Amino acid sequence: MKATYHKHILEFKRPSGTSRGILKTKETWFIVLSSGTKKGIGECGILRTLSIDDRPDYETKLQWACDNIALGIEKLWNELIEFPSIQFGLEMAFKSLESNSPFILFPSTFTETEKSIPINGLIWMGDEAFMSAQIIDKLDQGFTCIKMKIGAIDFTTELNLLSYIRSQFSSKIIELRVDANGAFEPNEALHKLHELAKYDLHSIEQPIKQGQLEHMAALCKKTPFPIALDEELIGVYDITEKKILLETIRPQYIILKPSLIGGFKGTREWIDIAESLEIGWWITSALESNIGLNAIAQFTHTLKSHMPQGLGTGGLYTNNFVSPHIIDKGTLVYDKTLPWQVKYLN
């Protein structure tokens, strides 16, 4: 077996805003495995400034993984515990190589175009006009769950946008989620949660920055509507530490991004612990290309969750790969009649 890696810079169609700044490009890496005439591909979807493996030796570790590919996925996964995005890329690549098709990692009714996955429509941060236009577009596309990023513009403006949505659609018609990306200060967070609660929201992701366990635990106990942990899970590797974190904070939900938490195996560990504590969960992609999105979507379908998932649509970039993923009435569909075009497998 031979392994190679390749860097790929994804370019946003329009600069996209989060509370951590404006994104114009997204760096990602691909691992390609070759064995005889077969090839497999996996995506190491690092998010600079957020991923725990955003380190100077990242590419060195990618080269090491390729040089030691004969160790197999279990040993490689354990050796790369501090590099969750590489763990995930390798899991993907091995499954891709083993499959009859490099793109069918988990054969199911989803990959046979018989079932789709309900997803949320994502509203990116920007000025009021831009965010309003996105909201109208998502509603026109038939989404019944909308997620709005907050924390970068004036809070009153954000409340007005939520008020606009609620004036048009009740919570029985449109489920509203917000994502603060840790933008609130601990001393103001509870007040802001009460202001947000007026708009009958489903949940808020990471209201304060990760690592403030006592503050987050207090918020989760007093919050007027559910809190979902997101960044809080990043960098927690040990199963015992994962359990302690969730037992301490007791969130209503956790959000699982396989690229940031150790891929399929890391995600399953979090789910097992959360379910034992009666904590809800859903899965979210993390700006991967269509290669990573494909793996996450197929994996997500196997978990049989009925909640809208936070899966991207592949439409953010000018240079994404052609894939069979389409959006239909707020759901992600794998249309098996459509082609894949991935240059790294040529």
Side-chain angles (χ1 to χ4, degrees):
M1 187 190 303
K2 179 184 176 184
T4 57
Y5 70 88
H6 311 267
K7 186 177 184 178
H8 188 86
I9 303 298
L10 293 159
E11 298 175 355
F12 281 84
K13 291 177 180 177
R14 173 184 173 126
S16 298
T18 75
S19 60
R20 288 183 294 271
I22 304 296
L23 302 174
K24 297 180 180 179
T25 61
K26 161 67 170 64
E27 168 192 342
T28 199
W29 300 76
F30 296 100
I31 292 177
V32 177
L33 303 184
S34 303
S35 180
T37 59
K38 293 190 72 176
K39 286 190 175 182
I41 188 167
E43 179 171 0
C44 305
I46 188 171
L47 271 177
R48 295 295 182 185
T49 75
L50 179 59
S51 297
I52 196 69
D53 46 11
D54 178 11
R55 296 167 33 165
D57 58 343
Y58 188 83
E59 188 172 355
T60 301
K61 281 294 180 182
L62 272 173
Q63 183 64 64
W64 178 88
C66 290
D67 291 343
N68 292 276
I69 203 69
L71 289 174
I73 185 57
E74 187 173 342
K75 287 184 178 178
L76 287 169
W77 197 94
N78 290 329
E79 287 290 332
L80 292 161
I81 196 70
E82 295 182 2
F83 292 84
S85 66
I86 302 179
Q87 287 176 317
F88 190 31
L90 287 166
E91 284 181 325
M92 243 185 277
F94 272 92
K95 274 203 161 291
S96 174
L97 183 67
E98 293 164 3
S99 173
N100 292 328
S101 161
F103 304 112
I104 305 296
L105 280 62
F106 297 92
S108 69
T109 51
F110 174 69
T111 56
E112 286 298 314
T113 322
E114 296 170 10
K115 296 285 186 179
S116 61
I117 301 172
I119 61 173
N120 60 232
L122 180 60
I123 307 301
W124 287 92
M125 289 178 175
D127 58 35
E128 185 174 3
F130 173 56
M131 294 181 77
S132 293
Q134 291 180 85
I135 291 166
I136 293 168
D137 181 56
K138 296 301 180 188
L139 297 176
D140 287 344
Q141 289 180 48
F143 282 90
T144 58
C145 178
I146 288 178
K147 170 182 163 180
M148 194 172 96
K149 288 186 173 289
I150 61 174
I153 62 175
D154 178 70
F155 186 59
T156 301
T157 301
E158 292 170 340
L159 293 178
N160 289 338
L161 287 166
L162 292 169
S163 178
Y164 162 72
I165 299 173
R166 275 291 169 254
S167 71
Q168 305 295 312
F169 302 95
S170 73
S171 60
K172 293 181 180 178
I173 299 173
I174 296 292
E175 180 178 288
L176 273 177
R177 301 171 177 176
V178 293
D179 181 3
N181 287 127
F184 299 163
E185 294 297 326
N187 62 352
E188 66 178 7
L190 188 59
H191 169 72
K192 287 190 171 183
L193 290 179
H194 279 286
E195 289 296 304
L196 289 164
K198 296 173 183 177
Y199 305 102
D200 205 0
L201 304 185
H202 172 270
S203 56
I204 181 170
E205 297 180 30
Q206 203 70 41
I208 63 174
K209 288 180 181 177
Q210 67 267 42
Q212 305 177 85
L213 269 61
E214 290 185 9
H215 287 297
M216 189 67 88
L219 274 182
C220 288
K221 191 172 183 179
K222 298 176 183 177
T223 184
F225 66 101
I227 288 174
L229 301 188
D230 181 357
E231 289 91 340
E232 203 76 60
L233 311 185
I234 297 171
V236 184
Y237 311 123
D238 181 75
I239 291 179
T240 301
E241 290 179 4
K242 291 177 180 180
K243 188 172 183 180
I244 290 171
L245 176 74
L246 295 188
E247 286 179 334
T248 301
I249 297 178
R250 293 282 173 169
Q252 286 75 30
Y253 294 103
I254 58 172
I255 295 171
L256 304 157
K257 294 177 177 173
S259 290
L260 303 183
I261 59 171
F264 305 132
K265 183 178 178 181
T267 299
R268 285 193 180 101
E269 288 178 354
W270 279 111
I271 289 174
D272 288 344
I273 297 166
E275 290 185 342
S276 73
L277 297 171
E278 299 184 340
I279 293 168
W281 57 268
W282 67 87
I283 292 180
T284 299
S285 52
L287 300 179
E288 295 87 357
S289 77
N290 281 332
I291 300 294
L293 170 63
N294 179 60
I296 296 169
Q298 291 185 29
F299 172 65
T300 299
H301 182 74
T302 68
L303 301 173
K304 297 180 170 36
S305 170
H306 299 295
M307 294 183 67
Q309 305 295 303
L311 303 180
T313 63
L316 289 173
Y317 305 117
T318 62
N319 61 336
N320 208 337
F321 305 105
V322 174
S323 80
H325 302 107
I326 60 172
I327 301 299
D328 181 38
K329 297 177 182 176
T331 69
L332 183 66
V333 176
Y334 188 98
D335 186 342
K336 66 179 183 178
T337 67
L338 299 178
W340 276 96
Q341 292 180 17
V342 179
K343 64 181 180 179
Y344 298 112
L345 292 178
N346 294 339

